[in-house]
Amino acid sequence: MDVVLEIADTFVGDYAYAWAHPAQSTPYDFLDNTSNSTQHTSTWQFKTANPYFSFTPSKYAYMSAWDRDNIYRQAISLFLITWIFGFVLYFLFASLSYFFVFDKKTMQHPKYLKNQIWLEIKQANRSMPIMSALTVPFWLLDVRGFTRLYNTPADGPGLWYEILQYPFFILFTDACIYLIHRGLHHPLIYKHLHKPHHKWIMPTPYASHAFHPVDGWAQSLPYHIFPLLFPLNKFASVGLFVFVNFWTIMIHDGEYVANSPVINGAACHTMHHLYFNYNYGQYTTFWDRLGKSYRQPDEDLFQKEQKMSEEQWKKQVKEMEKLVKEVEGEDDRTYDPSTAKKNN
């Protein structure tokens, strides 16, 4: 994240902090690069975090009372970067998935909610700033050098690790998320934290980030704990951050491609939204199998004509309604009245 922060500072942050919290009084035309009336007062010295390329800071990098190493400035910047970048990733990938992948017939399912997409987007956007704020301490540990992130392959354990770090990251985070996710289904926790995400019985891609903020943050913890414990290339960490968000959208897109006994794809995750107590894993089915919580998706889900049949829907609805009573008690969802008749 230090490379991302450096780029953001170069093109936005230096100018914003020089204006909002200047080191000294500055003329009204200080944003004019031709002005020579402003003195640079900061003793901060630029040292790039990027071993491959860097941008020379403008004079405004030295004109704020909070230089780039100031922890308060870093916290504010990291919060804004996480919030804005997270929103862009969410809305871009979810929209692409919705328009080009998501089966719109899902919206005719009896358990599709009234105004569901709007509700999903609303929930995600309420949660994102809080999740971003809760994530800031981990980013601060990153940029201030308290993790095991490294710059180049030469700084890491070896070239072999440049490849193995990816499956290692997936295996570690998959195990941790399984435990956290299953814990969120404990009766004392579920209704307070995880129930908002299970509001979506038949999710769309926009449900991918529609969490209670503490729930979403809790399930992201393994991604931040990993570089505290194990080496990770800093550029790989940024790529994995994008991948994690992309994968989260994919398992909510309702396109059941991966009929795999290993991969926890969209079909497995649909089983989780429908039947609650199965398939807690994020990437693989291994931990669900080990924890006896794996439920194999129905074969009909992989047959385009069958997965959206009324016979399949009636079967899903019957079992889902029984499980809702066991898990939640009263079902307080408001279903789309135009599709509810399919439940009759």
Side-chain angles (χ1 to χ4, degrees):
M1 187 56 76
D2 54 357
V3 172
V4 176
L5 181 60
E6 182 179 303
I7 294 171
D9 275 334
T10 300
F11 293 100
V12 179
D14 291 339
Y15 300 92
Y17 288 104
W19 169 78
H21 193 27
Q24 63 176 30
S25 299
T26 55
Y28 290 111
D29 62 346
F30 86 98
L31 288 176
D32 180 1
N33 286 323
T34 62
S35 174
N36 295 318
S37 58
T38 302
Q39 297 180 2
H40 300 170
T41 61
S42 174
T43 59
W44 170 78
Q45 296 294 316
F46 173 65
K47 182 180 179 182
T48 184
N50 191 335
Y52 300 108
F53 64 89
S54 63
F55 302 95
T56 302
S58 69
K59 64 181 181 180
Y60 302 106
Y62 305 90
M63 290 168 53
S64 174
W66 285 355
D67 61 44
R68 289 189 185 183
D69 290 336
N70 181 279
I71 192 170
Y72 301 112
R73 168 174 169 167
Q74 288 176 336
I76 294 170
S77 297
L78 290 166
F79 165 72
L80 292 172
I81 290 169
T82 306
W83 184 9
I84 295 168
F85 189 44
F87 172 78
V88 170
L89 281 178
Y90 162 71
F91 204 75
L92 174 62
F93 286 144
S95 295
L96 289 173
S97 178
Y98 175 77
F99 287 110
F100 298 109
V101 179
F102 178 66
D103 190 336
K104 309 302 186 295
K105 195 173 180 182
T106 301
M107 300 164 78
Q108 299 173 27
H109 194 283
K111 294 302 179 182
Y112 186 82
L113 303 188
K114 183 179 180 181
N115 301 320
Q116 182 169 312
I117 290 178
W118 165 245
L119 292 172
E120 289 169 340
I121 294 172
K122 185 178 178 181
Q123 176 68 50
N125 279 281
R126 279 180 174 175
S127 297
M128 278 188 180
I130 301 172
M131 287 191 287
S132 299
L134 292 172
T135 304
V136 164
F138 291 101
W139 292 140
L140 285 172
L141 290 173
D142 174 348
V143 302
R144 299 184 78 82
F146 292 101
T147 68
R148 300 188 66 185
L149 291 167
Y150 58 89
N151 290 329
T152 68
D155 301 318
L159 289 176
W160 59 272
Y161 192 77
E162 296 307 302
I163 297 172
L164 290 182
Q165 64 183 328
Y166 296 102
F168 186 23
F169 178 89
I170 295 298
L171 290 172
F172 175 84
T173 56
D174 193 37
C176 294
I177 291 171
Y178 173 82
L179 293 172
I180 293 168
H181 191 178
R182 188 158 188 171
L184 286 163
H185 277 259
H186 189 282
L188 295 177
I189 300 174
Y190 174 81
K191 290 184 179 181
H192 300 289
L193 293 183
H194 197 50
K195 185 180 176 180
H197 187 62
H198 273 275
K199 184 174 184 176
W200 333 113
I201 301 298
M202 293 300 294
T204 80
Y206 294 105
S208 58
H209 292 63
F211 290 95
H212 183 288
V214 176
D215 178 4
W217 171 78
Q219 295 196 59
S220 76
L221 284 175
Y223 305 127
H224 301 289
I225 292 172
F226 184 90
L228 290 171
L229 301 176
F230 308 106
L232 184 66
N233 186 296
K234 67 164 63 174
F235 295 96
S237 73
V238 175
L240 286 165
F241 176 79
V242 175
F243 165 76
V244 164
N245 282 273
F246 185 59
W247 181 267
T248 303
I249 291 167
M250 284 178 60
I251 62 175
H252 290 88
D253 66 15
E255 186 62 25
Y256 310 134
V257 176
N259 187 7
S260 167
V262 177
I263 299 173
N264 186 76
C268 282
H269 201 65
T270 292
M271 294 291 99
H272 179 70
H273 275 267
L274 276 168
Y275 308 128
F276 299 91
N277 298 325
Y278 306 94
N279 300 350
Y280 300 105
Q282 183 76 354
Y283 304 110
T284 74
T285 63
F286 175 77
W287 296 104
D288 280 299
R289 291 177 185 277
L290 193 65
K292 302 186 184 304
S293 55
Y294 175 66
R295 176 163 176 162
Q296 184 175 353
D298 298 340
E299 286 296 325
D300 286 352
L301 294 181
F302 301 97
Q303 307 297 324
K304 195 166 184 67
E305 297 78 14
Q306 296 298 321
K307 76 171 186 176
M308 293 296 180
S309 67
E310 289 199 28
E311 181 181 354
Q312 178 67 223
W313 286 353
K314 287 178 180 179
K315 177 183 173 184
Q316 291 171 351
V317 166
K318 183 179 179 180
E319 186 172 358
M320 170 262 168
E321 288 181 341
K322 179 182 176 182
L323 288 167
V324 165
K325 290 180 181 179
E326 293 178 5
V327 175
E328 299 181 356
E330 183 181 355
D331 187 355
D332 57 3
R333 297 167 182 81
T334 303
Y335 299 103
D336 191 332
S338 66
T339 63
K341 63 182 181 180
K342 294 183 182 293
N343 196 19
N344 298 329

